[in-house]
Amino acid sequence: MAEALRIGIAGLGTVGASVARVLSEKAAELTRQCGREIVVTAVSARDRTRDRGVDLGGAKWFDDPAELARSADIDVFVELIGGDDGPARACVKAALEAGRHVVTANKALLARHGVLLAEIAEKKGVLLNYEAAVAGGIPVIKTMREAMAGNSVSRVFGILNGTCNYILTRMEAEGLSFDACLKDAQRLGYAEADPTFDIEGHDTAHKLAILTSLAFGCRISADDIYMEGISNISQADIRAAGELGYRIKLLGVAQITESGIEQRVHPTMVPTASVIAQVHGVTNAVAIETDILGELLLSGPGAGGNATASAVVGDIADIAKSRPGFQHGPVFGRPAKELKPYKRARMRSHEGGYFIRLTVHDRVGVFAAVAKRMADNEISLESIVQHAAEPEAGTAKTVILVTHETTEAAVRKAVDGITKDGHLTDKPQVIRIERAG
Ligand SMILES: NC(=O)c1ccc[n+]([C@@H]2O[C@H](COP(=O)([O-])OP(=O)(O)OC[C@H]3O[C@@H](n4cnc5c(N)ncnc54)[C@H](OP(=O)(O)O)[C@@H]3O)[C@@H](O)[C@H]2O)c1
């Protein structure tokens, strides 16, 4: 049998401790599958005394993860510290430069420094595997990088943040407010004490940036992503969506358009009957549209110790099975040096349907004035409905418009015009409608 594959794990938190446990509990099965043993020979974390729920007695302890990364006693460096800078970046770079394979679950690191790290990995002829960085346990990276050779992707979109999907699912199912659902998510450990990163879309954007590069063969460009979170989604929106045959999801969407690549993260109305609308709670899903395959949807657990460990262990097993001297495939599907510059499509040129909810004064002429602003901007309406407003809005009325396909620029201009006309008693709400099968 080949020599054992020696693993160094930096970070023994939720994911790191689960990875160590799975490698220990599944040691015999992994040896059978990989044809060699996988042994954790070294570990690093901040607190040496903390019980990690797994016996790490046989592994050498390193206070400094960068020292572990450079250690000659490991073949694979597994980075599970997190963060786009600081120790994670320094030690992944050090490990690759020292010729070690790297496995990481760190989407923030890859979204910021992925191309640079891929260049080092490819120069050194080692693997940089990151399946767990996007959608946790769902094997989307492998699917896009390996199983879809020859396919040209036109759009990739998904529910990439379990916290947001949990909140939106409960708001709809139980009629609760955003704040009440967020508090529950925090109590159950689905949301961080500071939830901004999740609910304002940053986490989804990091994952989307990686998918965009894989899908379109371009350099990663996380800073170019248009981003809106879910904190301003109200019960009024959820109810109106339901009445119109839609469900609200926070989606990350990347698509090829005539003016470039669109990358956007925002609350989205998807048809209630679509497959992605059936993805509830903390579950994640990724849909990929290609010329050969058509539309593929993968869904499953997007976070948590076990699900994430499953992806990390899969990446480690791939390294265990790879043959010495074998030229590995490129990290982002194409050689890092050949990734095209990212050509950004401006959000104003986005084309699609729109849901617009306006809270207006209850007076003569408002309805006609709203309709006129739409017509002036060449927006054709699928429906326009007047409702009694929410009880807290007093005598105001709600007008709900659904547009046919139009541009973001036209919608913004029309809504600005309506606001200037002085008919609104509250901020207008605009939610994009996404085509989904
Ligand atoms: N949690 C999930 O469900 C999930 C899902 C997908 C991807 N990920 C990604 O997986 C990575 C780890 O996440 P996590 O949830 O496991 O984080 P976590 O529970 O906060 O664990 C972080 C670990 O890093 C260690 N650490 C921090 N600074 C260190 C330093 N300077 N030197 C050595 N060790 C250091 C900590 O040590 P101490 O324990 O001693 O404090 C801790 O063990 C992140 O990149 C995250 O984005 C997580």
Side-chain angles (χ1 to χ4, degrees):
M1 193 183 290
E3 277 182 21
L5 186 76
R6 300 163 306 164
I7 310 294
I9 304 178
L12 295 169
T14 306
V15 182
S18 296
V19 168
R21 190 177 37 74
V22 172
L23 288 176
S24 157
E25 287 174 2
K26 300 284 181 160
E29 184 57 29
L30 283 164
T31 304
R32 268 193 296 277
Q33 288 177 3
C34 302
R36 65 199 286 201
E37 267 186 279
I38 297 173
V39 186
V40 178
T41 52
V43 292
S44 175
R46 276 177 305 206
D47 183 353
R48 188 173 184 161
T49 63
R50 188 179 295 172
D51 179 9
R52 310 287 173 174
V54 51
D55 181 10
L56 293 167
K60 186 172 172 191
W61 178 272
F62 284 79
D63 284 325
D64 178 3
E67 204 187 316
L68 164 59
R70 285 187 289 264
S71 163
D73 298 333
I74 61 164
D75 303 304
V76 183
F77 178 70
V78 181
E79 185 277 309
L80 299 167
I81 294 173
D84 60 349
D85 270 308
R89 180 184 174 202
C91 59
V92 165
K93 195 160 172 274
L96 294 171
E97 279 167 350
R100 311 279 170 266
H101 299 293
V102 169
V103 174
T104 180
N106 192 334
K107 55 243 162 191
L109 177 72
L110 291 165
R112 292 263 168 267
H113 308 295
V115 177
L116 172 79
L117 296 172
E119 280 176 10
I120 302 173
E122 287 165 24
K123 194 168 135 211
K124 291 285 179 180
V126 292
L127 281 160
L128 168 57
N129 285 351
Y130 53 94
E131 185 62 73
V134 181
I138 303 175
V140 61
I141 305 297
K142 247 183 218 172
T143 302
M144 292 183 76
R145 200 167 54 177
E146 291 158 33
M148 288 174 42
N151 280 268
S152 297
V153 178
S154 49
R155 182 170 65 142
V156 53
F157 63 99
I159 296 172
L160 300 172
N161 184 273
T163 308
C164 290
N165 206 45
Y166 170 83
I167 291 172
L168 292 170
T169 301
R170 286 205 59 198
M171 284 177 77
E172 185 193 339
E174 297 170 51
L176 298 170
S177 69
F178 170 82
D179 288 334
C181 295
L182 173 59
K183 278 208 185 80
D184 264 2
Q186 286 170 317
R187 186 176 54 77
L188 293 166
Y190 296 149
E192 303 285 334
D194 176 2
T196 319
F197 199 73
D198 287 322
I199 63 171
E200 296 307 340
H202 301 271
D203 177 71
T204 300
H206 281 157
K207 295 166 184 168
L208 182 67
I210 297 168
L211 291 180
T212 305
S213 177
L214 278 167
F216 305 122
C218 58
R219 296 178 81 82
I220 300 177
S221 193
D223 292 333
D224 283 323
I225 297 183
Y226 175 84
M227 212 164 54
E228 269 175 41
I230 61 164
S231 54
N232 72 344
I233 297 296
S234 67
Q235 267 306 322
D237 299 319
I238 302 252
R239 276 198 299 272
E243 283 165 21
L244 293 162
Y246 293 105
R247 190 164 273 155
I248 301 177
K249 297 286 181 193
L250 182 80
L251 294 189
V253 186
Q255 72 185 114
I256 294 274
T257 74
E258 277 171 15
S259 50
I261 297 171
E262 246 179 48
Q263 282 193 106
R264 47 194 170 87
V265 173
H266 51 74
T268 306
M269 290 211 182
V270 289
T272 314
S274 62
V275 184
I276 202 148
Q278 318 312 318
V279 176
H280 300 301
V282 292
T283 305
N284 282 19
V286 184
I288 309 158
E289 287 175 0
T290 85
D291 54 348
I292 306 176
L293 181 62
E295 184 175 322
L296 172 74
L297 188 114
L298 304 167
S299 97
N306 267 344
T308 313
S310 165
V312 171
V313 170
D315 277 350
I316 295 172
D318 280 348
I319 296 170
K321 287 182 240 171
S322 71
R323 278 162 283 133
F326 177 77
Q327 190 61 40
H328 302 296
V331 177
F332 292 104
R334 284 94 169 157
K337 286 218 174 299
E338 289 173 25
L339 291 170
K340 293 175 282 189
Y342 171 78
K343 183 167 183 262
R344 177 188 182 187
R346 295 185 48 185
M347 197 57 200
R348 293 180 69 81
S349 58
H350 168 70
E351 290 178 14
Y354 286 76
F355 160 95
I356 303 166
R357 181 173 59 79
L358 306 169
T359 312
V360 299
H361 289 292
D362 183 15
R363 57 191 180 211
V364 176
V366 174
F367 207 67
V370 168
K372 182 171 182 317
R373 284 288 182 183
M374 292 291 143
D376 288 350
N377 288 287
E378 294 176 13
I379 299 172
S380 120
L381 294 176
E382 187 179 301
S383 67
I384 172 165
V385 183
Q386 187 164 327
H387 275 265
E390 300 300 302
E392 61 275 14
T395 58
K397 289 266 185 288
T398 299
V399 176
I400 290 171
L401 306 115
V402 176
T403 78
H404 284 297
E405 186 139 319
T406 179
T407 64
E408 176 97 5
V411 169
R412 287 189 195 176
K413 232 172 125 200
V415 171
D416 283 352
I418 294 166
T419 307
K420 280 194 201 111
D421 290 342
H423 299 309
L424 301 184
T425 65
D426 201 357
K427 267 185 66 190
Q429 176 68 295
V430 176
I431 301 178
R432 296 167 193 88
I433 297 171
E434 192 72 24
R435 178 174 51 78

